[in-house]
């Protein structure tokens, strides 16, 4: 069964497209069937490609980041099984638009999947240094690995063959 995952940040040009790419790579490496997309809570960059500095940081880490920015909407709660947000501000905004109480249970801070971190947020690198973008890429890649481990473990517990 395919797990449908939506990664969300503020503008959908830095963290969430990076998370989308990292989740896809981590899942493919484990043979996990996933559908991944990304969105932003704001409309500032709708239709824009990912930020060039995020793309460059991803490239340095071996991650291909692409797509076009879009804004999260109520239909996403029907389409996706998991909605993974980058920080607490995103969390508040996404929970506010959840159509139903059970939809709120789909929303989680993405970085909580990283077992080696003491923070549950991926800080927004927008406007920061190249080092800030590199750090964000490392953080989303670590969280994506943890997510893929969790999905793999869940699949095994539910009787699916191990990939």
């Amino acid at each position: 069964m395919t797990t449908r995952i939506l990664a969300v940040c503020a503008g959908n040009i830095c963290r969430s497209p990076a998370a989308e790419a990292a989740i896809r790579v981590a899942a493919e490496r484990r043979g996990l069937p996933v559908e991944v997309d990304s969105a932003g809570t704001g409309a500032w960059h709708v239709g824009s490609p990912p930020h060039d500095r995020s793309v460059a940081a991803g490239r340095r880490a071996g991650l291909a980041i692409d797509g076009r920015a879009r804004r999260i909407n109520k239909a996403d709660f029907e389409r996706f099984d998991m909605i993974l947000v980058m920080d607490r501000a995103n969390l508040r905004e996404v929970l506010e638009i959840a159509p139903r109480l059970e939809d709120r249970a789909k929303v989680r801070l993405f970085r909580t999947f990283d077992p080696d971190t003491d923070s549950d947020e991926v800080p927004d690198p927008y406007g920061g240094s190249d080092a800030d973008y590199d750090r964000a890429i490392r953080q989303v890649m670590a969280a994506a690995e943890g997510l893929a481990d969790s999905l793999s473990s869940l699949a095994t517990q539910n009787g699916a063959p191990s990939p």
Side-chain angles (χ1 to χ4, degrees):
M1 184 168 120
T2 300
T3 302
R4 297 164 305 171
I5 303 164
L6 180 66
V8 178
C9 69
N12 192 212
I13 60 167
C14 295
R15 297 170 293 170
S16 57
E20 176 186 350
I23 292 166
R24 191 173 287 116
V25 167
E28 286 175 2
R29 192 170 24 253
R30 290 166 180 79
L32 297 169
V34 296
E35 173 189 330
V36 190
D37 195 6
S38 62
T41 58
W44 316 282
H45 303 290
V46 168
S48 297
H51 194 285
D52 59 343
R53 292 173 74 194
S54 190
V55 171
R59 192 176 306 115
R60 286 190 294 274
L63 192 63
I65 301 171
D66 59 12
R68 293 281 173 188
R70 71 177 189 87
R71 191 170 188 189
I72 188 172
N73 59 65
K74 291 182 190 242
D76 289 324
F77 288 90
E78 288 294 322
R79 181 176 169 206
F80 294 97
D81 304 307
M82 303 175 81
I83 299 176
L84 305 175
V85 299
M86 300 300 122
D87 62 36
R88 285 188 185 85
N90 305 147
L91 180 65
R92 281 189 301 278
E93 292 178 57
V94 171
L95 290 175
E96 284 178 12
I97 65 167
R100 301 175 314 215
L101 187 59
E102 56 267 23
D103 292 326
R104 294 171 64 97
K106 296 178 178 184
V107 183
R108 182 169 170 182
L109 285 160
F110 181 45
R111 199 155 177 218
T112 61
F113 285 100
D114 181 354
D116 297 323
T117 186
D118 57 358
S119 175
D120 56 8
E121 294 185 297
V122 177
D124 193 348
Y126 188 76
S129 68
D130 285 348
D132 294 328
Y133 284 89
D134 290 335
R135 185 177 311 107
I137 295 296
R138 285 192 307 273
Q139 290 169 346
V140 298
M141 289 177 74
E145 292 297 327
L147 171 62
D149 287 345
S150 178
L151 292 173
S152 184
S153 177
L154 186 60
T156 301
Q157 289 173 11
N158 289 336
S162 182

